[in-house]
Amino acid sequence: MTQKLWTAVDDYINQQVVPSDLALDAALAACAEAELPAISVTPSQGKLLQMLALLVNARNILEIGTLGGYSTIWMARALPGDGRLITMEFDPKHAQVASDNIANAGLENMVEVREGNALELLPELAAEGLEAFDLTFIDADKCNNLQYFEWALRLSRKGSLIIVDNVVRDGRVIDAEDSDADIQGIRSLFKRMATEPRVLCTAQQTVGSKGYDGFAIALVTG
Ligand code: SAH
Ligand code: DHB
Ligand code: MG
C-alpha cells in the first residue's frame, strides 16, 4: 500500500496533467534500451523543473548530471529561442545517449552536453565568464553536493534558483548512524544552505514512482 499506491497516483497525475510526448517517451525508451539506470526524474518532476525555469524566465540553465537527457529536455523546452542549457555528464555512454535524445527532441542548438567530471568542468565553465545561470539543477554524485552548490551559487545572480535532487533518500538523511558518503554529502549541503545568507532555502519530501525522496530549493536573494 505504499510504493504501489505512489506509482498509481503518479500515473494518475501524469494522465491528468502531464501528457506524454513523443520525444520524451523516446528519450526514456532509449535510456532503457542502452541499459542506463532508471533514475531520471519522473514526468511530473520534469514538468515541475520546466515550470520553475519558466517562472524565473530562465535564459541560461545549468545541469549537473545529465544521464540520458530526460530532465534536460524538460528544462530546455522552457528556454526562449536564444536560450542555452549546459549539462555535465561524467559517463561517455550516458553523454552519447543524452546527445542523441536531445537531437531527437530538436534541442541540439540550445543544449550543450559537456562530457567529464563536473568537479573539473565547473571551474572551466566559471573561467569562461558567461552570463549568470538563472536555474541550476544539481543531480549528479550526491557526495559532491556541497561543491556543486558552491559553484552554482558562484554562477548565479540575484533571483536565480538552485534545485538539488535526492535530498531525502528514503529518510536516510536523518539517520545519524549512516556514514555513506552520498548521505554525508546531502547533510553537508543542508548545513551549508542553512548558514548561507545569500539564499532562501527549503526542501520538499516527495513520494511517487521513484519511491521516497525529495528536492531542496534555494532562491538566491543577495
Ligand atoms: N538529471 C538526470 C538524471 C541524472 S542521474 C535526469 O533526471 O534525467 C546522475 C548522473 O550524474 C549519472 O548519469 C552519472 O553518470 C552522472 N555523474 C555522477 N558523477 C558525476 C560527476 N562527478 N560529474 C559529472 N556527472 C556525474
Ligand atoms: C537514484 C535516484 C536519482 O534521482 C539519482 O539522481 C541518483 C540515484 C537512485 O534511486 O538510486
Ligand atoms: Mg536524481
Side-chain angles (χ1 to χ4, degrees):
M1 254 293 271
T2 50
Q3 183 57 61
K4 209 176 150 202
L5 184 59
W6 299 342
T7 301
V9 174
D10 243 351
D11 291 345
Y12 171 80
I13 291 169
N14 294 342
Q15 278 162 24
Q16 295 301 312
V17 294
V18 189
S20 77
D21 171 287
L22 274 179
L24 287 166
D25 288 349
L28 286 182
C31 288
E33 174 67 27
E35 296 182 332
L36 268 47
I39 56 174
S40 308
V41 294
T42 65
S44 62
Q45 291 171 344
K47 192 163 179 183
L48 177 65
L49 291 171
Q50 181 181 86
M51 290 168 65
L52 289 169
L54 287 167
L55 268 168
V56 296
N57 289 314
R59 279 188 61 238
N60 294 291
I61 298 177
L62 173 63
E63 179 177 59
I64 305 171
T66 317
L67 191 65
Y70 184 73
S71 52
T72 316
I73 293 170
W74 273 110
M75 293 189 288
R77 285 179 171 173
L79 289 168
D82 61 347
R84 178 179 163 95
L85 187 156
I86 295 175
T87 183
M88 299 179 170
E89 175 54 54
F90 185 68
D91 187 310
K93 182 177 161 186
H94 297 184
Q96 185 57 55
V97 172
S99 296
D100 292 346
N101 285 336
I102 289 157
N104 186 51
L107 294 164
E108 68 275 19
N109 293 329
M110 305 175 109
V111 177
E112 192 187 328
V113 180
R114 294 195 178 186
E115 193 183 306
N117 186 341
L119 287 176
E120 289 165 17
L121 295 174
L122 284 161
E124 288 170 24
L125 179 68
E128 289 169 34
L130 301 172
E131 274 175 60
F133 291 94
D134 310 296
L135 173 70
T136 300
F137 181 47
I138 299 175
D139 191 20
D141 45 342
K142 319 307 171 196
C143 56
N144 290 316
N145 270 348
L146 181 60
Q147 285 96 310
Y148 297 146
F149 183 74
E150 300 292 359
W151 282 111
L153 204 51
R154 181 165 160 191
L155 295 165
S156 291
R157 57 162 173 89
K158 194 174 167 182
S160 295
L161 271 182
I162 302 169
I163 303 166
V164 188
D165 195 22
N166 312 112
V167 299
V168 174
R169 306 265 71 199
D170 290 303
R172 286 175 65 191
V173 64
I174 62 160
D175 179 359
E177 312 275 89
D178 200 324
S179 57
D180 180 86
D182 286 343
I183 302 298
Q184 303 280 9
I186 297 166
R187 287 203 202 106
S188 307
L189 169 77
F190 272 111
K191 207 171 159 191
R192 179 72 177 83
M193 289 193 306
T195 51
E196 171 55 60
R198 291 170 294 172
V199 295
L200 202 58
C201 294
T202 190
Q204 281 299 303
Q205 306 185 65
T206 58
V207 294
S209 56
K210 272 181 82 183
Y212 170 37
D213 216 321
F215 282 112
I217 303 187
L219 174 64
V220 181
T221 53

